[in-house]
Amino acid sequence: MVSAAKTLELAMAAAKVADETDQERERRERAEARRQRMLDRADAARAKDLRAAGVDADARTAAGQRELVTNSARGVSRKRASLAGYEALIQNPKDRTPTRIKAMETFDELCHRAHAGLLPNPRFERGVDVSKSLPGVPDDRADALMEMSRLAARIGDVAQAILYFRVFERRRFTAMRDLGMGDERTLATLFLAAVDGVARHYGFATTHRAVEAMNERLSAA
């Protein structure tokens, strides 16, 4: 039989545990409230920057999904939003070679030509000339679509899709991962391989040493 003193002791211990649980819950709720306030302030600041740049609700600049740079001139409060430069699309500075920059720019221009008239041009993006005299699909767009097919045959559909999301839409690797395209590390590796494939397709890149070694081996046989 439990004595009255023991019963009181157990009751006090239970009350202490309950008090500690309430304190932990209060700390967690306060922490969550602080985190939510920080997120709200960040969202408000991002929306203010985009409004100041004249960008309202462009899908190419969805918050947290695409590479977006907001700049301001010295002494001027007005800000200008722009898609990240090609250099910023390659994470490691050592991998940002002039050949790869040129390849990304060429692919981006090809996408703009191929999709001319299908998507609205953001105010901070260069326009696309679709003023052809022939009705229907402009000649330039038709040529670009054929070139896209030739490029896909050279580098593969998957590589072209990765380039489309990363270079044309400026998607982050995290956003591409969320689309089910693979993990970020693998996507970064495949992206560089795809860029190199574009460079080889257009003759920007020199022959890879592995190819040179194979050719030397075959010619000596």
Side-chain angles (χ1 to χ4, degrees), residues 9-219:
E9 181 181 350
L10 292 175
M12 293 177 63
K16 182 178 180 181
V17 170
D19 291 341
E20 292 175 350
T21 303
D22 291 340
Q23 291 176 359
E24 292 175 356
R25 183 169 57 254
E26 290 176 0
R27 285 196 296 269
R28 177 175 55 80
E29 291 175 351
R30 286 197 297 269
E32 291 178 353
R34 286 196 298 271
R35 179 175 178 275
Q36 187 60 47
R37 287 195 296 271
M38 292 176 61
L39 292 175
D40 292 342
R41 286 196 295 268
D43 289 342
R46 188 183 300 111
K48 181 179 179 181
D49 289 343
L50 293 178
R51 286 196 301 272
V55 180
D56 192 6
D58 197 299
R60 294 281 298 276
T61 58
Q65 295 294 314
R66 293 163 176 82
E67 300 286 356
L68 180 68
V69 178
T70 304
N71 301 320
S72 61
R74 183 184 297 275
V76 180
S77 59
R78 180 175 176 273
K79 296 185 178 181
R80 176 180 62 84
S82 63
L83 293 177
Y86 300 112
E87 295 85 354
L89 299 179
I90 297 179
Q91 296 174 332
N92 190 344
K94 295 181 180 179
D95 295 330
R96 299 170 187 166
T97 63
T99 298
R100 283 173 170 165
I101 301 302
K102 186 176 181 180
M104 288 187 289
E105 182 178 4
T106 300
F107 181 81
D108 194 20
E109 292 177 352
L110 177 61
C111 285
H112 276 83
R113 291 170 53 208
H115 302 303
L118 300 182
L119 299 173
N121 292 320
R123 290 180 227 181
F124 48 84
E125 271 286 287
R126 59 181 178 277
V128 179
D129 183 13
V130 295
S131 57
K132 297 293 183 179
S133 58
L134 296 178
V137 179
D139 291 346
D140 185 62
R141 184 187 167 212
D143 294 340
L145 289 171
M146 293 179 62
E147 179 59 26
M148 290 284 281
S149 298
R150 288 191 292 267
L151 180 62
R154 176 69 183 275
I155 68 175
D157 293 337
V158 174
Q160 189 179 78
I162 292 174
L163 287 171
Y164 173 85
F165 284 110
R166 183 63 175 162
V167 176
F168 182 66
E169 287 203 347
R170 296 300 201 274
R171 294 269 186 173
R172 299 178 184 272
F173 288 128
T174 52
M176 295 166 67
R177 176 204 62 196
D178 295 340
L179 291 174
M181 299 174 61
D183 63 90
E184 298 171 61
R185 185 184 298 273
T186 301
L187 285 169
T189 302
L190 293 177
F191 171 66
L192 288 181
V195 173
D196 291 340
V198 173
R200 288 191 297 271
H201 178 72
Y202 289 105
F204 299 154
T206 57
T207 305
H208 194 280
R209 180 52 191 160
V211 178
E212 292 180 349
M214 180 185 68
N215 292 336
E216 293 173 359
R217 180 74 172 178
L218 293 175
S219 61

